[in-house]
Amino acid sequence: MKSITIKGSERESVGKKATKALRNAGKVPCVVYGGDKPLHFSADELAFRDLVYTPNAHTVAIELEGKETVNAVLQDIQFHPVTDAIIHIDFYQLFDDKMVTMNIPVRLQGNSPGVRNGGRLLFRKRKLAIKALPSKLPDFFDIDISKLRIGQNISVGSLLSDDFTILHPENQVVVQVKTARTAVVTDDEDEDEEGAEGAEGASEEAAQE
C-alpha cells in the first residue's frame, strides 16, 4: 500500500488554549495511538490534502523533528461543522507483526452486459473493512464486472484471500445488476438460462438480508 509522508511538530501542551492557538495558525492537532503512549503532534492542514480528500487508502509516515518516523493509519477525523476545516485527526501506529483494521476502496473494472441491456447497476459496498498485517494491505479491491448479467451479483465470498480477513459476511453483495422495465435479454444473456436464473435468485436473497 502506498504511503504518504506527513511532516509535523510534536506538541508539548495539549490543553484547550494550546489547541485553539494551533487551529488559528492553520495547523491540525493530531494524536497517534497504539504505541507505548499517545504521541501528540500538529501539522499544516495542507499536509493532509492527499490523505483526506481522496477515495484511495494510504498508510502514513509521520516525520517529527528529532524523532524516529512513525508509520500509522488514519483512524478518525473531525471536521468543523460550518467550514469543513479539519480540526483533529487520530492515527493508529503500525507494527510489522500486528494486525490492523482498515477500509479498502472497491473499484469496478469493465462494462456490464446486463447494464448495456437496460439493467440497473447497484454498487452496494464502495469500501470493505479488512484486517491484515501492514505489509499485506491492498491498495484496492478491483472487481471485473464485464460478465455481470441481469440478475447476477458479485459478493464478498469471491474476494477472499489468505493475505487478509474481510470483515463482512461472505454473502454480502458488493455489486449487482437488477432488472429494470427497459431491460432486454439478448442471446448472450440467454445462453445459460438456468445459470442466470440461479444467480438472480441468489441476488434477490442477498438483497433482502
Side-chain angles (χ1 to χ4, degrees), residues 4-7 43-51:
I4 291 177
T5 299
I6 302 292
K7 294 184 178 181
D44 292 335
E45 185 174 3
L46 288 176
F48 301 101
R49 179 182 57 191
D50 294 335
L51 174 66

Side-chain angles (χ1 to χ4, degrees), residues 15-152:
K16 291 184 178 180
K17 186 175 181 180
T19 298
K20 184 177 181 179
L22 284 172
R23 291 171 179 155
N24 289 339
K27 295 184 179 296
V28 178
C30 306
V31 60
V32 183
Y33 296 104
D36 294 334
K37 60 180 181 179
L39 172 63
H40 297 271
F41 75 98
S42 66
D44 292 335
E45 185 174 3
L46 288 176
F48 301 101
R49 179 182 57 191
D50 294 335
L51 174 66
V52 176
Y53 303 108
T54 174
N56 302 336
H58 298 285
T59 57
V60 183
I62 301 170
E63 295 183 355
L64 305 179
E65 188 175 353
K67 298 284 185 178
E68 291 186 2
T69 298
V70 174
N71 294 313
V73 291
L74 190 153
Q75 286 289 288
D76 187 48
I77 183 168
Q78 298 176 26
F79 295 93
H80 190 282
V82 177
T83 66
D84 281 337
I86 303 171
I87 59 176
H88 192 271
I89 300 179
D90 288 346
F91 293 93
Y92 188 81
Q93 188 170 352
L94 295 177
F95 296 93
D96 292 341
D97 59 346
K98 289 186 179 181
M99 294 278 192
V100 63
T101 299
M102 194 167 185
N103 290 323
I104 304 300
V106 176
R107 298 190 304 187
L108 303 183
Q109 308 288 328
N111 296 305
S112 163
V115 173
R116 290 199 300 270
N117 290 327
R120 290 190 300 126
L121 183 72
L122 300 180
F123 195 177
R124 297 195 177 278
K125 296 294 293 184
R126 295 178 181 271
K127 288 187 177 182
L128 294 175
I130 73 166
K131 189 174 184 178
L133 293 173
S135 62
K136 299 295 185 179
L137 289 170
D139 291 317
F140 302 95
F141 282 103
D142 284 328
I143 296 181
D144 182 8
I145 61 171
S146 61
K147 295 182 179 180
L148 197 60
R149 299 173 178 171
I150 292 174
Q152 294 182 327

Side-chain angles (χ1 to χ4, degrees), residues 146-166:
S146 61
K147 295 182 179 180
L148 197 60
R149 299 173 178 171
I150 292 174
Q152 294 182 327
N153 68 65
I154 296 174
S155 64
V156 166
S158 65
L159 305 175
L160 301 181
S161 170
D162 292 336
D163 289 340
F164 48 77
T165 299
I166 302 179

